Amino acid sequence: MVATISWRKAAMVAAVVPMLALSACSSGGGRTPETGTGGGGGQVATTERMKIALIAHAPAGDTFWDTVRKGAEEAAAKDNVELLYTSDPEAGRQAQLIEQAVDQKVDGIAVTLATPDALKSALKKASDAGIPIVSFNAGEAASAQLGAFTHFGSNEKLAGEAVGSKLAEGGYKHPVCVIQAQGHVGLEARCAGVKAKVPGTEILYVNGADMTSVESTATAKLQASADADVIIGLGAPITLTLMKSVSTAGSSAKVASFDLNKELAQKVADGSVLFTVDQQPWLQGYGAVDALWQNKRGGFKLGGGQSVLTGPAIVDQSNAAEVLKFAEQGIR
């Protein structure tokens, strides 16, 4: 049922945002920007050039955000958009990036809302300046309240419940759900969803900016918790690190995950990881940019006042090989 919901919503996005050439003007962030002018074969829109700021809470080096950015850049290339990509995991600095975008008089802002209260004032300045806002990835519940006309992402509580249900079906009773950024509303919702279906779930907070610390903290937890039967990472790099913790601790716990990259898709395919939950980040980046372009060109508002869901979608051994094919292209 979960996969059906996800793909129906994703198909709605795909229907209005055809996949064309990859390239864009972009600045900031951790990955080297794509170059080119749409040479992949798509025709660039003839609408007036516009400027969109995409402002994320992305930490450096997380491959998930490379995928988000690829989607945003492909939409920008098609839509004749100058894309200003910036990110900062610290909430106060992310708020400053929003204010800078307002000062630059951008034509639209796409923003993640991992810490919505900290961004409230900056987003009000954007709204007061008449700048359209869409949110993506995190903060679905706060999106409309903070001025966004739509949100692209997974319903995180639903995703957590999907994981909890799948674990319960497998007979797991004592999961450890690892949160790498305390206070991140999306991550907290994921673990809350798991716990709603498996009451024996424990929450473990780690410092996601320091993988050595993540590994040591998780190892200590597994060594102290002999009844832990599965450990859940909330992001691909975290999960891959947790696999090391399981080995070091000599634990019999299995590993499950949220999110995806090429290496994690391979681990699911070969059975080293039980499953992961894909929120399809490429679609989030693409949809957010394209929705702002559609809004400027015709006053269109995708979603009809509701979020456009890009997940959750379960990836396990039954479909991992197909997903891996797209992960190898950097779009899953």
Side-chain angles (χ1 to χ4, degrees):
M1 180 179 69
V2 172
T4 301
I5 294 172
S6 171
W7 287 107
R8 183 166 62 247
K9 293 288 186 177
M12 181 172 71
V13 179
V16 296
V17 286
M19 296 191 300
L20 298 171
L22 173 60
S23 66
C25 294
S26 173
S27 63
R31 189 170 63 83
T32 302
E34 300 287 346
T35 59
T37 55
Q43 182 176 347
V44 177
T46 58
T47 48
E48 181 183 356
R49 183 78 164 166
M50 65 181 292
K51 183 185 296 184
I52 290 176
L54 188 148
I55 305 166
H57 65 279
D62 190 330
T63 52
F64 177 94
W65 294 100
D66 289 347
T67 306
V68 170
R69 186 167 176 174
K70 279 188 175 182
E73 288 175 342
E74 188 159 332
K78 178 185 74 71
D79 295 340
N80 193 23
V81 164
E82 178 185 358
L83 180 65
L84 307 178
Y85 179 101
T86 57
S87 65
D88 201 302
E90 200 282 313
R93 290 194 290 270
Q94 190 188 9
Q96 290 174 0
L97 293 174
I98 295 170
E99 292 179 355
Q100 289 172 14
V102 174
D103 292 340
Q104 290 175 293
K105 295 180 169 51
V106 296
D107 298 297
I109 291 175
V111 62
T112 61
L113 304 174
T115 50
D117 288 344
L119 307 182
K120 186 181 301 183
S121 177
L123 288 171
K124 185 177 186 305
K125 290 181 181 179
S127 294
D128 290 347
I131 299 172
I133 301 166
V134 300
S135 61
F136 69 100
N137 179 257
E140 177 191 7
S143 176
Q145 180 185 351
L146 295 187
F149 67 79
T150 195
H151 176 86
F152 291 85
S154 180
N155 182 305
E156 301 291 19
K157 188 172 186 297
L158 177 62
E161 290 175 352
V163 168
S165 294
K166 193 167 179 67
L167 291 176
E169 290 169 4
Y172 298 96
K173 296 181 179 179
H174 300 286
V176 176
C177 193
V178 181
I179 296 179
Q180 70 265 29
Q182 190 166 0
H184 181 308
V185 293
L187 302 183
E188 299 282 356
R190 288 178 177 183
C191 286
V194 175
K195 191 172 180 66
K197 297 296 183 179
V198 187
T201 300
E202 288 189 65
I203 310 300
L204 177 66
Y205 291 100
V206 298
N207 177 10
D210 182 349
M211 287 300 178
T212 300
S213 174
V214 170
E215 183 177 352
S216 61
T217 302
T219 298
K221 177 62 178 176
L222 291 170
Q223 289 173 335
S225 304
D227 61 346
D229 49 14
V230 61
I231 189 164
I232 308 164
L234 303 188
I238 298 293
T239 300
L240 294 168
T241 298
L242 296 179
M243 294 181 71
K244 299 177 184 178
S245 296
V246 171
S247 177
T248 302
S251 172
S252 60
K254 302 297 184 181
V255 179
S257 186
F258 288 77
D259 296 341
L260 193 67
N261 65 13
K262 177 182 175 181
E263 187 176 356
L264 182 60
Q266 183 61 61
K267 296 295 184 184
V268 174
D270 67 25
S272 301
V273 172
L274 292 173
F275 60 86
T276 191
V277 182
D278 185 17
Q279 60 176 300
Q280 302 179 117
W282 190 96
L283 280 179
Q284 294 176 12
Y286 193 105
V289 170
D290 196 64
L292 288 165
W293 173 69
Q294 296 280 10
N295 182 253
K296 184 173 176 64
R297 93 182 284 226
F300 303 122
K301 293 185 177 180
L302 292 178
Q306 303 295 316
S307 297
V308 180
L309 297 186
T310 62
I314 297 289
V315 178
D316 57 20
Q317 275 195 299
S318 71
N319 60 354
E322 180 182 0
V323 172
L324 181 58
K325 176 178 65 177
F326 295 110
E328 289 173 340
Q329 299 172 29
I331 59 174
R332 288 294 291 271

